[in-house]
Amino acid sequence: MTDELPLRRTKRSLPIALLRARESVMGPIREMLASSGVNEQKWRVLRVLQERGPSELTQLADEACLLLPSLTRIAKAMEEDGLISRTTPEDDRRKTIAAITPSGEALIRAHSAKSAQIFARIERDFGAVRLEQLLDMLEALQALPREGEKG
Amino acid sequence: MTDELPLRRTKRSLPIALLRARESVMGPIREMLASSGVNEQKWRVLRVLQERGPSELTQLADEACLLLPSLTRIAKAMEEDGLISRTTPEDDRRKTIAAITPSGEALIRAHSAKSAQIFARIERDFGAVRLEQLLDMLEALQALPREGEKG
DNA sequence: TATTGTTATACTCTATAACTATA
DNA sequence: TATAGTTATAGAGTATAACAATA
């Protein structure tokens, strides 16, 4: 493959545009997390567990955008910090079920006001309707068939 | 701050939605890069340099979504691999200007057909018009005023 | 034999600070 | 004194493979 098709401008490259857009909204969120004792990855784990309830690690890794070996380590640290619990279900002892603890819920609550404020600012600057449209599209993008699937 | 405001569902959390959307499109791109000898970060550096021409490292780091210390290391490796050049301009010897080499351009060309094919598939599955709208919005999101700026 | 998770390993990026050279 | 970049360092994530336990 030595074709000479010009690529899209980087601003119109979907992976680069998604990354830059994310960087542009992460600034205040990183500030918020800096005072929380958890990093971005742990925050995502807490958020997913709070939302979905107790979850198998494989599914949790997928939803928090982490590899399973990363999650294994992170979950261990979070358990030691009392933010989540880990249990092995009797009906399938290969699995590990992670669940958020009251302490983990408290951590989320402690930052919910600031988080809402950050979102409100984006909503104000970007436009509420447009922001909902953007979220609709991002959700649809996630739902696209992966390589190798029928489509 | 111990408010109890419930947070948005993770699917409607902008940072998480952006990350998940990006993960969902990176699969085939990672496959493509695996055969190229460069990782995602180096690919972004090449793409930005090809598009913008010779650039100062600070600006390049910003556009490629890298920290300057990371770029320092990456640029050194890429120079050794012959993918970019680095020069110090006479008029301001503090600066370093990076530029893509013919070798670097060839690497991009070698993957442009595959890259276009990946994009075409997304365009087909997601809808061409909708995809352009999404890119418009992502571009606008990047342009929002940062924390601390007027707005 | 497949699945779920853990461990091991090497590599890389992140984040911060300290430092050098230049302006 | 500020700027541009480099170096140093600690910590963490990524990616892959090998492994153990269970189904």
Side-chain angles (χ1 to χ4, degrees):
Chain A
M1 290 226 244
T2 50
D3 283 294
E4 310 237 352
L5 302 173
L7 295 181
R8 305 203 115 213
R9 283 174 299 131
T10 54
K11 277 191 176 177
R12 309 300 283 184
S13 155
L14 191 52
I16 294 179
L18 287 165
L19 181 58
R20 286 180 181 160
R22 184 163 196 271
E23 283 306 301
S24 82
V25 302
M26 284 305 292
I29 293 170
R30 291 200 173 108
E31 278 179 44
M32 175 189 84
L33 290 179
S35 68
S36 74
V38 296
N39 61 17
E40 287 176 40
Q41 290 80 4
K42 289 177 180 175
W43 178 255
R44 290 203 301 274
V45 167
L46 289 176
R47 291 281 274 108
V48 169
L49 286 180
Q50 187 197 40
E51 177 171 295
R52 299 198 48 99
S55 307
E56 297 174 23
L57 292 192
T58 298
Q59 181 186 14
L60 177 57
D62 187 54
E63 303 215 0
C65 295
L66 290 166
L67 293 181
L68 194 49
S70 297
L71 181 58
T72 291
R73 182 177 29 70
I74 288 169
K76 197 177 301 181
M78 292 178 76
E79 188 182 33
E80 285 167 8
D81 292 343
L83 298 173
I84 66 171
S85 65
R86 288 190 304 167
T87 57
T88 300
E90 282 307 314
D91 64 315
D92 186 345
R93 300 174 50 77
R94 291 174 305 183
K95 295 182 178 173
T96 297
I97 305 292
I100 193 167
T101 61
S103 220
E105 301 229 4
L107 192 152
I108 288 183
R109 272 201 308 279
H111 295 85
S112 62
K114 181 65 185 172
S115 181
Q117 177 194 322
I118 292 168
F119 189 85
R121 190 192 152 104
I122 294 172
E123 203 169 38
R124 188 198 70 189
D125 292 342
F126 193 73
V129 172
R130 201 176 175 208
L131 186 52
E132 293 307 313
Q133 289 170 346
L134 173 57
L135 287 165
D136 288 343
M137 287 190 188
L138 293 174
E139 216 175 320
L141 196 56
Q142 289 171 50
L144 287 190
R146 307 304 176 105
E147 190 88 352
E149 289 180 31
K150 288 179 204 168
Chain B
M1 289 226 246
T2 49
D3 283 292
E4 310 236 353
L5 301 173
L7 295 181
R8 304 204 118 215
R9 283 175 299 134
T10 56
K11 277 191 175 177
R12 311 299 285 184
S13 153
L14 192 52
I16 294 179
L18 287 165
L19 181 58
R20 286 181 180 159
R22 184 162 195 271
E23 283 305 301
S24 80
V25 301
M26 285 304 292
I29 293 170
R30 292 199 174 110
E31 279 180 43
M32 176 189 85
L33 290 179
S35 67
S36 73
V38 296
N39 61 16
E40 287 176 40
Q41 290 80 4
K42 289 178 180 174
W43 178 256
R44 290 203 301 274
V45 167
L46 288 176
R47 293 279 277 107
V48 169
L49 286 179
Q50 187 197 40
E51 176 172 295
R52 300 199 48 99
S55 307
E56 296 174 23
L57 292 193
T58 298
Q59 182 185 15
L60 177 57
D62 187 55
E63 304 215 0
C65 295
L66 290 166
L67 293 181
L68 194 49
S70 297
L71 182 58
T72 292
R73 182 178 29 72
I74 288 169
K76 197 177 301 182
M78 292 178 77
E79 188 181 33
E80 285 167 8
D81 292 343
L83 297 173
I84 67 170
S85 65
R86 289 191 302 167
T87 57
T88 299
E90 282 307 313
D91 65 314
D92 187 343
R93 300 176 48 78
R94 292 173 304 183
K95 295 182 179 174
T96 297
I97 305 292
I100 193 168
T101 61
S103 220
E105 302 230 2
L107 192 153
I108 288 182
R109 273 202 307 281
H111 296 85
S112 62
K114 181 65 185 172
S115 181
Q117 177 195 322
I118 292 168
F119 190 85
R121 189 193 152 101
I122 294 172
E123 204 168 38
R124 187 198 70 187
D125 292 341
F126 193 73
V129 172
R130 201 177 175 206
L131 186 52
E132 292 308 313
Q133 289 171 344
L134 172 58
L135 287 165
D136 289 343
M137 288 190 188
L138 292 174
E139 217 175 319
L141 196 56
Q142 289 171 50
L144 288 190
R146 307 304 177 105
E147 191 89 349
E149 290 179 29
K150 288 178 204 169

